[in-house]
Amino acid sequence: MSKILVTGGAGFIGANFVHYWRREYPADTLVVLDALTYAGNPANLEAVKDYRNFHFVHGNILDQALTEGLLREHEIDTIVHFAAESHVDRSIHGPDAFIETNIVGTHSMLKAAREVWLTGSGRDHRFHHVSTDEVYGSLEPDDPPFAETTAYAPNSPYSASKAASDHLVRSYHHTYGLQVTISNCSNNYGPYQFPEKLIPLVVVNILTNRPLPIYGDGQNIRDWLYVDDHCRGIDLVLKKGVVGGVYNVGGNNEWTNIEIVRLICGLMDEQFAVDEGLKARFPDAPQVRGLKAASLITHVKDRLGHDRRYAIDAAKCRAELGYVPQESFATGIRRTIAWMLDNEPWWRAVMDGSYRDWLDRHYGKMRA
Ligand code: NAD
Ligand code: TYD
């Protein structure tokens, strides 16, 4: 039985990981450490909050003493480190938080792990660092996809901060013998994704009749993976990965942004055609006025330094870990849309800000 500290577990992938792990290993202890930034939402963990072997701790990964205390108190043997600032656009407008959390925060986690796990006789442990394919930079149309041996060439403050954190994790293995693994994954999508990211943003904007902003010419390519398949990849790295190893996780699923947006528009039109009730629930949606969702597509100014193409070569994961994604894009994108339609209160609360009420209830209205 494992005792796992999940940082960033109230965010998109961290919360999916918590749900995945509970389904697969219900006897394991899960401790979530999360600062509840704008991206952290306690509602994402509502379904597990009352389990005896689940604990939520509201705190910052920069607080090394707090992390050390949690590692000792819960006799943690595994850290799965998701906590990060994760949105490229925000990193362009305000890079400081990315340096603080992604670099200094990861270093604080490493220091805590070293202090607790490597002092004295030490204990068997694993520090798994969750990273991104964006550390490898941008591909030309005919370039081979990113392999674990591809040189780092991060282009945004976000990817540069993640690259720096990867190097720190690597160095703690090489220098101090900390038992680490790193996974670099492609773009995720699925339940609980904050609607500032492309896929949930498009779904919410169709339902509320807002423009669907396409940066530049819409020909940028991303390699999309259903979030549960990312969680399964991390599971395999934890169970079968070589200590010190790096694993690229991806689904071999490249799409241009405009193709994705048009696909979602078509699926939403289909939903409105088969489910009459949607028109009453979403009276502002273009379908109510006989318009197609695609009528909302709006080309806007490009993102600064916008990476053209990401693609993952997951051959190492497949060969060494037997990793095969289970969700196809056709099914995954339908599941995601169905989840958004079934969980309207979740995204409404994010949009109107009431998802932050948890903090008010716990700390009173005077919080900053
Ligand atoms: P997210 O932004 O949805 O969630 C991040 C979580 O971390 C939030 O709950 C937030 O409150 C928490 N957090 C932020 N700063 C913190 C701090 N200082 N201390 C404690 N908690 C803090 O992010 P996500 O999309 O779930 O990404 C999770 C991880 O996966 C990140 O490390 C990201 O780089 C990586 N990743 C994401 C993707 C993707 O497509 N979203 C792809 C590959 C890798
Ligand atoms: P995003 O979901 O922000 O992920 P990342 O930047 O980490 O890949 O964006 C995915 C792609 O969609 C990226 O090429 C930027 C583009 N995009 C838009 O065209 N419009 C939008 O409103 C957003 C949020 C993203």
Side-chain angles (χ1 to χ4, degrees), residues 6-16 32-42 44 56-63 81-87 97 100-102 105-106 109 129-134 158 162 165 183-189 192-194 196-197 223-225 227 230 234 249 356:
V6 181
T7 70
F12 162 48
I13 308 175
N16 277 283
V32 165
L33 171 62
D34 199 297
L36 296 181
T37 68
Y38 81 92
N41 185 346
N44 299 357
F56 177 76
V57 179
H58 179 215
N60 200 306
I61 57 167
L62 288 157
D63 186 344
H81 177 39
F82 291 97
E85 290 291 336
S86 70
H87 191 40
E100 274 292 297
T101 287
N102 300 1
T106 298
M109 291 297 303
H129 179 58
V130 180
S131 192
T132 167
D133 61 355
E134 304 194 23
Y158 164 64
K162 292 297 289 186
S165 66
S183 53
N184 295 87
C185 189
S186 57
N187 284 65
N188 284 214
Y189 68 100
Y192 302 114
Q193 188 164 31
F194 199 85
E196 64 183 352
K197 305 279 171 71
D223 187 349
W224 293 93
L225 186 71
V227 62
H230 184 185
I234 294 170
V249 181
R356 309 295 289 160

Side-chain angles (χ1 to χ4, degrees), residues 61 81-85 98-110 127-132 135 152 154 157-173 178 180-184 246:
I61 57 167
H81 177 39
F82 291 97
E85 290 291 336
F98 289 72
I99 307 307
E100 274 292 297
T101 287
N102 300 1
I103 305 179
V104 184
T106 298
H107 190 226
S108 167
M109 291 297 303
L110 289 164
F127 187 112
H128 181 74
H129 179 58
V130 180
S131 192
T132 167
V135 298
Y152 274 34
Y158 164 64
S159 53
S161 67
K162 292 297 289 186
S165 66
D166 293 7
H167 293 323
L168 284 168
V169 173
R170 177 191 155 94
S171 77
Y172 266 64
H173 171 63
L178 196 70
V180 310
T181 38
I182 300 176
S183 53
N184 295 87
V246 175

Side-chain angles (χ1 to χ4, degrees), residues 132-149:
T132 167
D133 61 355
E134 304 194 23
V135 298
Y136 298 118
S138 182
L139 293 167
E140 296 298 326
D142 296 326
D143 284 345
F146 303 129
E148 289 79 357
T149 48

